[in-house]
Amino acid sequence: MSAPHIVAIGGTLRPESSTGRLLGAALSLAEARGARTTLLTGPAIAFPHYEPGAAEGHEEIARFLEALRTADGVIVGSPGYHGTLSGLVKTMLDYVEQLRGDARPYLDGRPVGLIATAGGWQAAVSTLQALRTVVHALRGWPTPMGLAINTAEPDDCVDAARPQMQLMVDQMFDFIDR
Ligand SMILES: Cc1cc2nc3c(=O)[nH]c(=O)nc-3n(C[C@H](O)[C@H](O)[C@H](O)COP(=O)(O)O)c2cc1C
C-alpha cells in the first residue's frame, strides 16, 4: 500500500491551542511511520452552522471534505467545553454529513484516534466519551486507546501524552494494515 493519509481535525481558535499542538504531535508520530498527513485546525475548521447545502462555494469546507475523502485514518481533537465537545468541533463534524452519499460514506471503515483536552479530568473523560459516540454515528472505528488530557496539570501536555499517543497511532496503523 502507498503511504497512508492521516488527517487530523479539530482544536480551537487560540493560536496556542493545546488541542492543536496535540493533534500536530500525533501527526508527527504518524509521519515517523511513513504516513502523509494533513492538519486542519483553527481558522481552517471555523465553519458556519451546518445546513444541508451550506458547503457550496466555501473553499475551506471543500478542503476539509476532500481531506476526509482521501483519509485512511482520522484523528479528532476537541477541548471539553462544559463537559462535552466544543461547538466549533461539533459544527465541523456536522459537515461530515456531506459525505453521506459517497461510495465510502462518512468515516466508514477508517480508524479514528481521539484527543480530548480539558482543565480537569472529569470533562476530559466525558468529552472523550462524547467524541466516541459521534464517531460511532459517523461509522468510524475509534481506536481502543483514546487520549483524555488534563491541560491544568503542571507537565507539558504533549510530553506527558506521548506514550499513550504512540499507542493510539500504532493502533491506527494496525487497523489500516489489516
Ligand atoms: C467555554 C469554555 C468552557 C470550558 N469548559 C470546561 C469544563 O467544563 N471542564 C473543564 O475541565 N474545562 C473546561 N474548559 C477548559 C478547556 O477545556 C481547556 O482549557 C482546554 O484544554 C482548552 O483547549 P485549547 O488549549 O486547545 O484551547 C472550558 C474552556 C472554555 C473556553
Side-chain angles (χ1 to χ4, degrees):
M1 182 186 180
S2 58
H5 184 204
I6 307 292
V7 175
I9 53 176
T12 71
L13 293 171
R14 298 191 318 117
E16 67 278 22
S17 166
S18 53
T19 320
R21 285 206 301 127
L22 286 154
L23 287 169
L27 287 186
S28 296
L29 296 179
E31 284 165 14
R33 288 202 52 162
R36 71 188 175 90
T37 63
T38 301
L39 173 63
L40 298 174
T41 187
I45 56 148
F47 305 151
H49 286 155
Y50 183 74
E51 289 284 349
E56 307 297 324
H58 195 299
E59 205 173 296
E60 298 288 4
I61 295 170
R63 191 161 162 246
F64 169 79
L65 294 174
E66 189 50 29
L68 289 183
R69 280 194 170 105
T70 61
D72 298 298
V74 178
I75 304 173
V76 182
S78 178
Y81 280 4
H82 310 147
T84 191
L85 64 164
S86 68
L88 182 84
V89 171
K90 184 60 174 68
T91 293
M92 170 194 79
L93 291 171
D94 290 348
Y95 278 84
V96 182
E97 187 63 21
Q98 293 294 117
L99 306 182
R100 68 176 291 172
D102 284 18
R104 194 171 58 163
Y106 303 106
L107 302 179
D108 191 55
R110 267 72 61 80
V112 183
L114 296 170
I115 301 174
T117 65
W121 291 114
Q122 181 166 273
V125 172
S126 59
T127 299
L128 177 62
Q129 194 55 42
L131 287 170
R132 282 191 205 281
T133 300
V134 175
V135 170
H136 282 151
L138 294 174
R139 304 194 200 177
W141 294 72
T143 52
M145 174 58 75
L147 302 186
I149 309 290
N150 181 350
T151 55
E153 292 277 299
D155 298 335
D156 179 82
C157 65
V158 174
D159 288 343
R162 206 162 264 118
Q164 291 182 333
M165 189 183 274
Q166 183 69 62
L167 183 53
M168 185 180 83
V169 169
D170 287 346
Q171 288 177 345
M172 292 179 68
F173 275 79
D174 289 346
F175 192 100
I176 292 167
D177 291 340
R178 281 179 319 152

